Amino acid sequence: MSPPNLVTDVLHEVFLYLRPENPFTSQTLPFCLLSCSLVCRIWYDEARPMLNEILDFSVFRLLFDDHHYTTNEINQLAVLLTESRHNRVDYFNMPERMTINVNYTSGMDDFDFAVEGLVNILTLQPPNLTELLFDINHTAYTSVQRVHRITDRFRRLEPVCSTITRLHLLGDAGGPKHHAHVAGLLAALSRHLVSLKLTRFSLDPHTLDSLTRCESLHELELRYIRDGEALHTALPSLTELRIFHYAYDQYVPQDLAVSALARSCPRLESFTIESDHPNLEPIAEFKSMLALATDCLALKTLCLVRYKLADDRFVTLILLRHCRALKRLHLNWCPNLRGGTAVRIKDGAWAKLETLSLQGCSELALGFLRTIVASCPRLQELVVPDHLANQAVEIMTGARFVRQGVRRDHGWDQWKRSERGKENGEEERGGKQGGREQSGGEERGREQSGGEERGGEQSGGRNVEANKGVVKNVEVIKVDVEGNKIEEGNVQGNKVEGNKVEGRNVEGDKVEGINVEGSKVEEKDVEENKVEESKVEEKIVEGYKGKGNKVEESVVPQVVEAAKQRKWRALLPSCNAQRS
Amino acid sequence: MSVRKIKLTSSEGTEFVVDADVANQSVIMRNMLENCEAHDAVIPLPDVTTPILAKVIEYCTHHRTGAPIPTDDANSVPKKTDNIGKWDTEFCQMDQETLFDLILAADHLDIKPLLDLACATVANMIHNKSPEEIRQTFNILNDFSLAEISKDNERMEQK
């Protein structure tokens, strides 16, 4: 309790004296105000609003991230976190990542004190602190020695070894001969490690050995590593790997590595190869990529940047024939990709594809765009190479895509599918729109604006009502579940009565992204409706633009059934507001 | 015309007589005096005790010839705690309770320079201290332990 005459007005006045200079920069943490907020509850009530105004709390979330902290500051922060934990103030829950940069201080004595501060923080075990980032991008002898001392200290910390699940090493710590200590830390963390990122690091034998032990690893990101020839020896034990990312500026063949992934990582979901330079040879050849595509059946994301091998044959024989689960495909700056008439998308190839990027593919044929928009029923986002930007307009808008922006210097022209048809014709909006306009995909409508048919978060604040006029033009079918009205519908034979299936994302019912409007019944996980996913793909509601495609009768009534079931009704208030 | 004399009475009834220019440093009193036609005036101050009133008068007497401090917007300009003069520093040598009472009095009487001085003095007592050290300085009990502060948790999650 505070002395009775230190009333809040007085406290407020006093705290104003403790505020750092305006304008506030992150160089000066308001340690005094932070301390005050932890003294007692009255002081907290007075100081916290002031802190909220001036402080970007990411300084707690990403500890020691943006500038060099002095030894004193490190220890002050440790004290603050200790108090926060004791007093159950939320600063303690904020840290997620701690950056360790050994160039904090000048003298070695000070350095030890700084390390103790770091150790104190780690020992507190902030519940969300799971990542360590070591900035070891220097070669000075003292720095290298410091890295040794820190890693040796950390690897003996039991709390560290069980709570740190993400490790990022940025730099080479003076070269492979100094890696034994870092490799030791990696080994100590190996059991629980989920994510490992190495940037400009040399894959020495010690590190490779430790990497082999990281059997729980889900994510491996390697950027500009050196001595990577033996990478494939470590991969077979990483059977839980989900994400593999390899960026390079020097050619080192990695066919063995890719083959190892194909053989050993059945759960791989994301695979990225990024060449830094158009003249670099591809690190994985046709054969190993084919193995990857054939064996990694869970692959959802594939990114190949400046990949010379991505030509029509590659696309046809590997990407179209396999990669059935693919949702996101980036073939950026692939100079040999033409997409000629021989490349046909059929037999359900790319049926789940939602995002396709062809940024910078300067040889791409216009016809390929036509093929894509016609054959990829779930496509929501397409990045067109900028040399086709003008010609693409007709194709894209005809398929109900809306342009997001064009950057010719970056080689891209971005389009997103609109579920309501055209808004105001196509506009060239600068930059990317934040609005979520599409159904399905990974963007779930989270907006709940009680009963209104409006996505609260949409930039552009799209109002369904306002779209009615536009809707007519493209014969979009709008149905209102609650009122059981069919507006502007053209739903003969569909029995889609009383269904509000517009841009619907009824997650609770596992009927995701039904888009009857316009309409392709997309991506339904309709176990309850007992409709096989394959049946509803590429079905188009009868009457839409006279194309004459029909929804299978078996599908729609079951959709209706689901709507009539109590379960769906219970979701209606949120249904009305949700836009997927 | 002779100098206006003002009689100030504390909560206990003690009377202090001061010149007008001393009293005028309080905006409250200045406004009262402008509206008062009598040459000499009596202002009762039932909220201020004798010892505090004495201190206030001591301050205002010393600063009677000082130029008026330009009014800043209190919230926009950060305040400095390192430009306190020697006399002011010695003036502030008093026990904490008196200091806090002085802040309240300066606030009520609207004597900004005195308020600033007293607040700066308290701020200096807080500066560079850990929460525990602050508690010890002011003899404050840590009463966090029973309650969880969840409002801000929510707010932070939204950020």
Side-chain angles (χ1 to χ4, degrees), chain A residues 1-3 5-7 9-22 31-32 34-45 48-49 52 55-57 76 79-80 83 86-91 93-94, chain B residues 74-81 96-98 100-101 103-104 107 115-120 122-124 126-132 134-135 138-149 151-153 155-156 159:
Chain A
M1 251 197 17
S2 192
N5 45 9
L6 250 186
V7 293
D9 289 346
V10 170
L11 271 181
H12 187 86
E13 287 290 324
V14 172
F15 288 165
L16 286 176
Y17 276 86
L18 296 171
R19 271 171 76 142
E21 297 285 327
N22 258 341
F31 282 107
C32 287
L34 285 166
S35 291
C36 287
S37 73
L38 290 164
V39 166
C40 66
R41 292 176 67 192
I42 291 182
W43 284 48
Y44 176 88
D45 289 340
R48 184 60 189 261
N52 288 344
L55 184 59
D56 176 3
F57 280 89
Q76 276 180 292
V79 167
L80 290 176
E83 286 272 357
H86 182 258
N87 298 337
R88 299 206 196 149
V89 173
D90 64 338
Y91 311 148
N93 297 331
M94 292 179 186
Chain B
N75 288 328
S76 70
V77 176
K79 313 201 176 185
K80 301 239 188 286
T81 54
Q96 284 178 16
E97 205 177 318
T98 310
F100 299 151
D101 283 339
I103 292 178
L104 283 174
D107 195 36
L115 180 64
D116 285 352
L117 171 63
C119 286
V122 176
N124 279 341
I126 293 174
H127 194 65
N128 265 345
K129 290 198 165 90
S130 73
E132 183 55 35
I134 296 173
R135 284 185 210 116
F138 295 97
N139 206 20
I140 296 175
L141 181 69
N142 182 350
D143 60 355
F144 271 113
S145 45
L146 299 176
E148 209 159 347
I149 300 182
K151 260 186 306 184
D152 286 301
N153 287 345
R155 189 221 269 237
M156 282 304 121
K159 275 204 172 174

Side-chain angles (χ1 to χ4, degrees), chain A residues 178 396 573:
Chain A
H178 295 294
M396 300 304 294

Side-chain angles (χ1 to χ4, degrees), chain A residues 509-527:
Chain A
D509 249 0
K510 296 182 189 170
V511 184
E512 296 179 18
I514 302 175
N515 189 354
V516 180
E517 141 199 9
S519 194
K520 301 176 182 182
V521 186
E522 303 171 7
E523 193 175 31
K524 289 190 339 185
D525 180 3
V526 283
E527 290 156 12

Side-chain angles (χ1 to χ4, degrees), chain A residues 75-108:
Chain A
N75 282 280
Q76 276 180 292
L77 209 59
V79 167
L80 290 176
L81 286 171
T82 308
E83 286 272 357
S84 303
R85 183 173 89 156
H86 182 258
N87 298 337
R88 299 206 196 149
V89 173
D90 64 338
Y91 311 148
F92 182 62
N93 297 331
M94 292 179 186
E96 292 172 15
R97 182 178 83 192
M98 186 157 90
T99 297
I100 293 131
N101 186 325
V102 297
N103 295 318
Y104 293 135
T105 62
S106 41
M108 258 313 187

Side-chain angles (χ1 to χ4, degrees), chain B residues 58-94:
Chain B
E58 185 190 341
Y59 179 87
C60 293
T61 307
H62 183 261
H63 286 270
R64 67 197 294 176
T65 50
I69 308 218
T71 45
D72 304 309
D73 182 350
N75 288 328
S76 70
V77 176
K79 313 201 176 185
K80 301 239 188 286
T81 54
D82 55 356
N83 57 357
I84 302 176
K86 188 164 177 286
W87 188 93
D88 283 349
T89 309
E90 283 180 22
F91 171 76
C92 286
Q93 304 284 350
M94 58 184 86

